[in-house]
Structures are given as C-alpha cells and as structure tokens.
Amino acid sequence: MSFILNIETATKNCSVSVAKDGKTIACNELADEGYSHAEKLHVFIEEVIAKAGISVQDLNAIAVSQGPGSYTGLRIGVSAAKGLCYALNIPLIAVDTLQTLASQAGVIDGKIIPMLDARRMEVYSAIFNSDLTVERAIKAEIIDENSFQEYTDKLYFVGDCADKCKAVLIKDNFVFLENVKYPSAQAMSKISFDKYQKSDTVDVAYFEPYYLKDFMIAPPKKQ
C-alpha cells in the first residue's frame, strides 16, 4: 500500500490530491483568477491529508507538476514538495503538466493536444496518442491557421486556449473539449503511482521546474 501526495500548481488551478495505490481518495482544488496558490496550497495539503484519514508520516512520496506553466505557480508547488520530501525523507516524483492535462481528455481514438496559454497566440503544447504515449514533444509555438494541418486523425484539444484558438483551428477533425481546461492533481494519481513503482524519481536537491521559456521581468513603467 502506498500513499502519494500530488501537487499541481502550474496554472490558475491550485490542486492537491492524496492517492492510494494510484487512485485518488481526496482532492481539493480551486481555479482562481488571482493565483492564490501561496495562500491556498498548504491549507489544501493539510485538508486532503485529513480527508484521506492518514497522517503526513504515512506518505510514501510527493509528486509535483514539473511544467511547463506559470513561473510563480511552479515555484510555489516545487518549493512545497521539496520541503515535505526533506522533512519526511521520502522521494520526489516529477509529473509532466501536459501529460496530466492530456490524460483528462478521456478519449479512445485520435490524438490529444494539450495546450496552455503562453500569452498572445503562443501556447505550450505537445501531442499525445489516445493511450498517452508521446507523439510530439513539448514546445512553445505560435498558433495560426496552418497549425496541425498535416494531421488527418481526429485531434482533441484540451487546456485553457480554446477561446483564442477556436477561431483559427477550424478543420472538421479538430475537436475542442472545453470542459477540460486546467490540469488537476486528481489526474496525477495514476501517473505518479506508475512512476513510483518504477522508482522514477528526481533529485530533491537539484530538481528545477521545466519552465520551457526563460522568466522575463518587465522593466518598471516610467512615471
């Protein structure tokens, strides 16, 4: 029996779950426009552990979303996960944010394209087969009317980019699953358990989130 705490903070959704042998038994999440991760994350961790009926000492591993995504959100999640791993002397598991998002599509045919907003018409995206094997690795790309034109399979788009991409991605085989907007810690449970069974863990001291693009600080506006 293994208990894994899953932390997903790569987007506006602050999401935490406890899984027992790969099945979610407790989850708290809130998609807040104000990015309240710093205030909510540790509260959610305490609440899901209590809901699961276990103590923090019962945890066998911590899984955290590795990105891509929000710089600040990823930093908050990874810092919390590392702190718990150090305190409890348990392993850290890194989970691909876009794989988590793709797994929420729940389709059995075609291909899944998870996309996260990277401002303007740029997105962070990858392409997965319906069995969640990788068809194309993660990259940052500009979406236009020529994007994904080479695919004749049914393409299922998930993520927070539907509003800005639907106007240009209009082929008949393009399907937007608008109910799947943000990655959730609930969907991390099976992925993290599979990694735990394979001892697929990362170095707690040296692990860094996968930002994909360098963090840019805008210069202050002139008064």
Side-chain angles (χ1 to χ4, degrees), residues 158-191:
V158 293
D160 61 359
C161 299
D163 289 344
K164 74 178 186 180
C165 292
K166 282 172 65 177
V168 294
L169 299 178
I170 57 175
K171 281 184 66 179
D172 290 342
N173 59 314
F174 293 173
V175 179
F176 284 85
L177 303 179
E178 296 186 55
N179 61 320
V180 183
K181 194 169 185 179
Y182 301 118
S184 170
Q186 294 191 61
M188 291 175 67
S189 297
K190 182 181 184 305
I191 300 170

Side-chain angles (χ1 to χ4, degrees), residues 12 14 30-41 44 76:
K12 294 175 182 177
C14 182
L30 175 67
D32 187 352
E33 293 293 330
Y35 279 95
S36 58
H37 300 34
E39 295 80 19
K40 298 293 185 183
L41 180 57
F44 284 1
I76 291 170

